[in-house]
């Protein structure tokens, strides 16, 4: 499963990218709104794209098909490799269909059911973003939607990428991978949590303590012999 970071924070993106585990980044208007309003959105997006280098999803805020296309074209004028994030509404399906006809990658976002995922795939979306956490928040199983979608994809031979989004903790990451999501997009804190294990930290501490003890013993022996 590929790992994207779900963020617009440059420090977080830089650090996660430096670990060599990311193949992309997803942003959305809410994530951008958390950052310094003095920085122009275009400049921030371009910087994010330059840091990560791979997939970069940028979301439109228009809600009518023609306006979505115009916004997509503006984003593509910033950098032609952009993946356009379009909301899963009827106007978004029509926009996706048109953009896909021009071979522009679309990440259809705000998907909460396998039938929505199927419609997004059929409209030509290259990525279908299923929001696990927000489903769990309302006592629905987000992971079940990923499982259902993956089962449909297998049976029907569909090729758009299933992207597990709205992940809240490392368990979501684990479950998404087991359910067959092709990609997960994950907040920085969840990425960092998923890398931590107390036995790794304790193990390293013990290795280093033993190494330094050995060095001290060697130094003592040498000074006795000198
Ligand atoms: C996906 O691309 C979205 O940016 C994201 O995962 C939304 O997650 P949230 O529910 O944490 O806002």
């Amino acid at each position: 499963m590929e790992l994207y970071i779900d963020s617009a924070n440059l420090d977080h993106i830089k650090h996660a990218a430096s670990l060599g585990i990311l193949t992309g980044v997803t942003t959305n208007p809410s994530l951008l709104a958390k950052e310094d309003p003095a920085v122009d959105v275009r400049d921030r997006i371009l910087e994010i794209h330059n840091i990560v280098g791979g997939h970069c999803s940028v979301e439109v805020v228009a809600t009518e098909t023609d306006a979505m296309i115009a916004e997509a074209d503006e984003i593509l004028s910033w950098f032609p490799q952009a993946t356009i994030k379009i909301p899963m509404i009827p106007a978004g399906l029509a926009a996706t269909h048109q953009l896909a006809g021009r071979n522009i990658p679309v990440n259809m976002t705000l998907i909460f059911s396998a039938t929505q995922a199927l419609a997004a795939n059929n409209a030509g979306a290259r990525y279908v973003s299923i929001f696990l956490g927000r489903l769990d928040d309302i006592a629905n199983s987000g992971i079940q939607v990923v499982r259902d979608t993956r089962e449909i994809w297998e049976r029907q031979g569909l090729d758009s990428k299933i992207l597990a989004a709205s992940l809240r903790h490392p368990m979501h990451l684990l479950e998404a991978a087991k359910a067959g999501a092709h990609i997960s997009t994950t907040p920085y804190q969840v990425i960092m949590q998923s890398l931590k294990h107390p036995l790794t930290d304790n193990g390293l501490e013990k290795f280093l303590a033993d190494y330094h003890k050995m060095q001290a013993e060697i130094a003592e022996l040498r000074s006795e012999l000198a």
Side-chain angles (χ1 to χ4, degrees):
M1 181 175 71
E2 285 181 66
L3 187 63
Y4 293 175
I5 186 167
D6 196 27
S7 176
N9 180 286
L10 296 182
D11 292 337
H12 290 169
I13 295 171
K14 267 184 207 148
H15 182 228
S18 75
L19 305 179
I21 56 178
L22 296 182
T23 50
V25 56
T26 52
T27 58
N28 67 39
S30 304
L31 291 171
L32 286 162
K34 285 188 199 163
E35 304 304 322
D36 182 358
V39 180
D40 180 62
V41 168
R42 174 185 174 277
D43 293 346
R44 180 168 295 274
I45 296 285
L46 286 178
E47 197 163 353
I48 290 171
H49 167 60
N50 287 336
I51 295 167
V52 178
H55 174 111
C56 183
S57 275
V58 187
E59 188 159 346
V60 300
V61 289
T63 54
E64 301 296 335
T65 303
D66 288 348
M68 286 178 182
I69 304 280
E71 213 182 322
D73 281 330
E74 194 195 334
I75 295 165
L76 291 162
S77 76
W78 303 344
F79 66 113
Q81 308 92 322
T83 292
I84 308 298
K85 226 169 154 187
I86 304 264
M88 173 54 221
I89 56 176
L93 288 170
T96 297
H97 185 59
Q98 287 190 39
L99 291 168
R102 290 164 48 193
N103 208 23
I104 292 164
V106 171
N107 172 0
M108 188 140 253
T109 189
L110 290 168
I111 290 180
F112 295 92
S113 72
T115 52
Q116 286 183 319
L118 189 56
N121 173 84
N122 291 352
R126 211 170 286 180
Y127 305 88
V128 297
S129 281
I130 300 169
F131 278 44
L132 269 73
R134 293 193 195 186
L135 278 164
D136 289 0
D137 290 345
I138 56 160
N140 276 265
S141 171
I143 200 63
Q144 191 54 47
V145 176
V146 177
R147 287 193 194 113
D148 290 345
T149 305
R150 182 68 207 216
E151 185 181 337
I152 294 166
W153 261 227
E154 295 294 324
R155 283 181 187 262
Q156 309 277 343
L158 306 183
D159 57 6
S160 54
K161 301 275 186 203
I162 301 169
L163 200 163
S166 182
L167 304 190
R168 305 259 196 268
H169 44 69
M171 236 3 230
H172 272 153
L173 203 52
L174 177 68
E175 286 173 341
K178 283 168 65 181
H182 300 102
I183 305 159
S184 278
T185 191
T186 309
Y188 175 75
Q189 287 76 7
V190 177
I191 293 178
M192 297 315 293
Q193 282 173 338
S194 74
L195 305 179
K196 285 279 287 173
H197 198 290
L199 291 180
T200 305
D201 296 341
N202 294 348
L204 181 60
E205 202 178 312
K206 175 90 171 77
F207 284 153
L208 294 181
D210 288 344
Y211 174 78
H212 290 304
K213 193 172 152 226
M214 179 182 73
Q215 290 298 310
E217 284 167 2
I218 291 171
E220 201 181 314
L221 262 179
R222 283 190 182 142
S223 75
E224 279 170 20
L225 293 174

